[in-house]
Structures are given as structure tokens and as C-alpha cells.
Amino acid sequence: QKEVEQNSGPLSVPEGAIASLNCTYSDRGSQSFFWYRQYSGKSPELIMSIYSNGDKEDGRFTAQLNKASQYVSLLIRDSQPSDSATYLCAVKAGNMLTFGGGTRLMVKP
Amino acid sequence: EAGVTQSPTHLIKTRGQQATLRCSPISGHTSVYWYQQALGLGLQFLLWYDEGEERNRGNFPPRFSGRQFPNYSSELNVNALELEDSALYLCASSFRFGTQYFGPGTRLLVL
């Protein structure tokens, strides 16, 4: 069974700090990797996608992928209270997208 | 560009009844996905439709069914509702097998 694992948290960081969110996956055939943000009671919103090893930066967000270690991470620089949400890692193998359980991030003012 | 839309936003039913949830994908998207998210739990994949055909199904009983119409909109039907069906039902769309974008969801409450 294909699995995507995330620490459920909560991960608590002070405002202005770097938040580091991690995700591991089991299917070595996975080709595409996504991070979604979900505010409480709302639907997931796409933040980043990454397809090749290395780093991909978009504003305050950096996604990191290491296929050899089957590891994806999301760094949020200069964390803001508005970043407080659950972050979902999603991994695509073939045509199917599998979601992790999400990590709850709390940014304290 | 309009995003994925879902209706209704909230739905209250009683045990044993049927629920119908609707989804309109982003213009140009051909695939529609349905997910269930029970309170405090992760996203569980329900169904995937592409070009009017059911392409894959998650580990849910047959009373969860759906269809995709020629205009690529979709509906999810849940028959013989049970209390544990209470959840946020999310629809996502993509162009072929591309990145999925989510709608706002339908919150179903079964009493």
C-alpha cells in the first residue's frame, strides 16, 4: 500500500522563524510532489509543486525533494500567524494522488 | 478564471436517506476527483472521473457512487446514509492527469 507519512504536530514556531515541514513516501515510482495548505474548515489550497531533486523557491516557501531518501519538505521563511494551518503533502505515482495526514502548524505572535 | 464550484455548501440528512452532491470543474479540466474528509482526519480518496468514465475508486462501499456529465461536471451520490458519513466532501479537478485544484467542499451532516 502506498503511504505518505507526516508528523501530525502541532508544530509551533514563533513569528518570523523558519517552519520546516517534512514528509516521507513509500512508492519509489512517485514522480510529482505537492504541498497544500488547509485552513480549519476550508478546502486545501495548492502552495507548491516539485518534480525533480533539489530545491524550488516561491516567495517565502521552499520545497525540497530527495527521491533517493524518499523525502519531501516545505520550508516557510519569516513565518506569520496567517501561516497557521494544516499542511498536506501529496505524492503522485501514475495517475493517483496520495495525501499524507497533514501537519498542523501554529505560528505564535 | 472561475475555480472549482460545489453545491450545496451544507447538507443535513437523516440516517437512511440519500444525498446528492454536485461539482463543476475549472473550465478546460476533464478530470474530477471526490474525497471525503471526516472531522480531524485526512483526505480519503473516493472516486475519479475522466472524460465521463470512472477511472478509479477508493476503498468505500458501493453506496457511494457518482457520474460525470458531458460538460465534465460531476455528482456524488451517497445512498442509505449512515452517521459516519458525516464529513466534508471535497471535489477537485485537473486537466487530464495534472495538478488537482480543490473546490470549497460540501459539509454533510447525517443525523
Side-chain angles (χ1 to χ4, degrees), chain A residues 4-6 8 86-89 99-103, chain B residues 37 40-43:
Chain A
V4 179
E5 301 287 342
Q6 295 181 256
S8 62
T86 296
Y87 289 80
L88 302 171
C89 172
F99 284 85
T103 298
Chain B
Q37 189 175 38
L41 298 181
L43 271 71

Side-chain angles (χ1 to χ4, degrees), chain A:
Chain A
Q1 182 174 346
K2 300 172 185 177
E3 293 183 347
V4 179
E5 301 287 342
Q6 295 181 256
N7 188 318
S8 62
L11 172 66
S12 183
V13 300
E15 184 175 356
I18 297 176
S20 178
L21 305 163
N22 305 315
C23 171
T24 59
Y25 59 95
S26 63
D27 188 345
R28 285 195 171 274
S30 301
Q31 296 295 320
S32 308
F33 306 85
F34 305 86
W35 284 98
Y36 289 82
R37 177 177 62 198
Q38 187 175 25
Y39 292 112
S40 180
K42 302 296 184 182
S43 64
E45 171 193 12
L46 180 70
I47 299 176
M48 297 275 296
S49 58
I50 186 166
Y51 305 98
S52 55
N53 281 329
D55 294 0
K56 178 181 179 182
E57 186 175 318
D58 184 359
R60 296 187 296 113
F61 298 97
T62 299
Q64 299 176 317
L65 174 61
N66 184 325
K67 289 186 178 181
S69 300
Q70 296 176 246
Y71 179 92
V72 194
S73 65
L74 179 70
L75 300 179
I76 306 175
R77 290 182 299 280
D78 187 25
S79 295
Q80 301 297 310
S82 58
D83 294 326
S84 297
T86 296
Y87 289 80
L88 302 171
C89 172
V91 175
K92 177 177 278 191
N95 298 327
M96 290 306 302
L97 191 64
T98 302
F99 284 85
T103 298
R104 189 158 72 96
L105 173 67
M106 297 173 58
V107 181
K108 298 190 173 181

